[in-house]
């Protein structure tokens, strides 16, 4: 079986049609085995994170995008569990305010890029500036349409400076979103997650799909590939994200640095 990383990647320069992807797809996986695999993957991720931290030369940036209730928070909770909090920075990007508004849109993003040795998780990202901004006309087309190239340049610069980048679009169906909204309304412990604007955003579903597609087509690069994760099934989403993160970290050939002293020469009382 092909590795999920190869099945779910958006080939750079390739055409991608979200309508051709089934958000409920599980690529032949079953829940019971996936849950076991996720547990193993989390253990291995923890080992590789330790190596990345020890090597302290490179960073990994994980970008999460997805429609409201798409599972960005859940992915962070379930996949990043087991990693040492000291080595992970999670940044959630909200509506820009204050100094963020007085700078270019990449300013706040660049500041949040993980330093060497760390894993950075973006819960939403600079892609909002070609998604919500485009869908709601928060900037004119002449402004947002230039951003695809700007983002590719920015990400290439990061890649050339030892930041490995992987990007996940968590893709759920409109029905699944309705189901999750209903849960947020029915479950008292989830009420706080519900916002009126989520319902408003739902009316723009088709425009979001169009914006996602253009983002995937223009910004999946060899430096910073996009992966579309069928995310109706939370267990598959977690499995797929963990597999691709592992695949990426394994491919980095991480090594412990050489000790800074001749250990044989060291004596102490
Ligand atoms: P949440 O992730 O549910 O906490 O919501 C954050 C909100 O901030 C979402 O509605 C995003 O679309 C919005 N947001 C994030 N970045 C931007 C941006 N650059 N411009 C406008 N809205 C944004
Ligand atoms: Mg929300």
């Amino acid at each position: 079986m092909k590795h999920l990383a190869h099945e779910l990647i958006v080939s750079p320069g390739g055409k991608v049609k979200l309508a051709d992807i089934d958000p409920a797809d599980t690529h032949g996986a079953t829940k019971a085995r996936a849950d076991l695999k996720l547990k193993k993957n989390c253990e291995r991720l923890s080992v590789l994170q330790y190596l990345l931290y020890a090597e302290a030369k490179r960073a990994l940036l994980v970008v999460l995008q997805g429609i409201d209730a798409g599972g960005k928070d859940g992915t962070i909770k379930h996949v990043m569990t087991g990693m040492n909090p000291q080595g992970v920075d999670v940044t959630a990007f909200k509506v820009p305010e204050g100094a963020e508004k007085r700078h270019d849109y990449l300013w706040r993003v660049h500041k949040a890029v993980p330093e060497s040795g760390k894993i950075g998780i973006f819960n939403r990202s600079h892609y909002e500036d070609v998604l919500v901004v485009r869908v709601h006309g928060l900037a004119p087309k002449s402004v947002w349409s230039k951003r695809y190239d700007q983002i590719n340049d920015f990400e290439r610069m990061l890649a050339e400076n030892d930041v490995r980048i992987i990007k996940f679009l968590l893709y759920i169906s409109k029905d699944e979103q309705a189901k999750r909204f209903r849960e947020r309304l029915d479950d008292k412990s989830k009420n706080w997650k519900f916002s009126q604007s989520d319902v408003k955003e739902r009316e723009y579903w088709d425009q979001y799909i169009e914006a996602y597609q253009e983002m995937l087509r223009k910004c999946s690069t060899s430096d910073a590939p996009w992966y579309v994760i069928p995310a109706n099934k939370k267990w598959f989403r977690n499995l797929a994200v963990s597999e691709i993160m592992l695949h990426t970290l394994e491919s980095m050939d991480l090594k412990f640095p050489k000790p800074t002293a001749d250990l044989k020469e060291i004596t102490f009382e």
Side-chain angles (χ1 to χ4, degrees):
M1 195 175 115
K2 250 171 115 182
H3 192 281
L4 280 176
H6 300 300
E7 290 195 18
L8 303 179
I9 196 168
V10 176
S11 309
K15 281 240 174 275
V16 58
K17 231 178 144 213
L18 285 171
D20 293 341
I21 298 173
D22 175 7
D25 201 353
T26 59
H27 290 256
T30 58
K31 183 173 186 320
R33 281 184 54 193
D35 287 347
L36 271 179
K37 193 84 204 295
L38 175 66
K39 199 159 164 270
K40 277 207 181 131
N41 285 354
C42 287
E43 283 164 17
R44 181 73 188 142
L45 276 174
S46 161
V47 170
L48 291 173
Q49 181 209 11
Y50 184 66
L51 265 172
L52 183 80
Y53 193 77
E55 188 197 72
K57 287 210 176 90
R58 292 170 285 173
L60 174 67
L61 173 60
V62 179
V63 171
L64 290 173
Q65 285 290 160
I67 208 102
D68 295 304
K72 300 182 289 297
D73 297 316
T75 302
I76 294 171
K77 179 173 157 190
H78 293 285
V79 180
M80 312 310 159
T81 175
M83 290 203 253
N84 183 345
Q86 186 148 260
V88 186
D89 292 323
V90 181
T91 310
F93 291 95
K94 310 281 178 182
V95 180
E97 48 183 44
E100 296 177 340
K101 268 209 301 214
R102 297 193 295 275
H103 285 85
D104 68 90
Y105 69 103
L106 290 174
W107 180 75
R108 65 176 183 164
V109 177
H110 201 170
K111 281 204 302 182
V113 169
E115 64 187 47
S116 304
K118 287 203 173 179
I119 297 180
I121 315 282
F122 283 1
N123 184 341
R124 303 188 189 267
S125 66
H126 42 303
Y127 284 96
E128 290 293 322
D129 294 281
V130 290
L131 293 169
V132 67
V133 168
R134 168 185 169 145
V135 167
H136 289 286
L138 304 179
K141 183 170 185 184
S142 59
V143 169
W144 60 253
S145 62
K146 292 197 181 81
R147 289 182 173 163
Y148 301 98
D149 286 342
Q150 293 165 359
I151 288 173
N152 287 342
D153 288 344
F154 171 65
E155 291 180 352
R156 183 170 34 87
M157 182 279 291
L158 292 178
E160 287 170 357
N161 286 278
D162 297 321
V163 181
R164 196 56 193 258
I165 307 171
I166 45 178
K167 303 177 298 203
F168 296 111
L169 175 64
L170 306 181
Y171 180 48
I172 58 168
S173 64
K174 208 173 173 185
D175 285 349
E176 179 66 21
Q177 189 194 47
K179 193 177 135 218
R180 293 184 187 183
F181 281 173
R182 246 173 260 125
E183 272 166 27
R184 288 180 179 187
L185 289 174
D186 294 346
D187 180 344
K188 278 218 156 28
S189 74
K190 287 187 178 168
N191 281 175
W192 68 275
K193 275 199 161 197
F194 195 84
S195 100
Q196 190 56 45
S197 69
D198 290 351
V199 176
K200 187 103 201 62
E201 286 305 280
R202 186 171 159 79
E203 291 170 24
Y204 294 87
W205 187 274
D206 294 343
Q207 287 93 316
Y208 269 106
I209 295 292
E210 215 176 296
Y212 284 134
Q213 272 173 182
E214 188 152 357
M215 167 193 91
L216 295 170
R217 282 181 193 153
K218 292 196 165 151
C219 299
S220 194
T221 60
S222 52
D223 291 321
W226 270 110
Y227 296 88
V228 178
I229 309 294
N232 272 14
K233 302 253 187 316
K234 293 174 183 173
W235 59 265
F236 179 75
R237 171 201 78 198
N238 295 337
L239 173 72
V241 169
S242 70
E243 287 272 310
I244 294 165
M245 277 185 70
L246 255 187
H247 179 81
T248 306
L249 283 165
E250 298 280 11
S251 76
M252 287 169 74
D253 195 22
L254 297 160
K255 298 239 163 43
F256 284 118
K258 292 225 160 23
T260 50
D262 185 349
L263 302 186
K264 283 193 251 56
E265 298 294 309
I266 293 176
T267 54
F268 50 87
E269 304 279 298

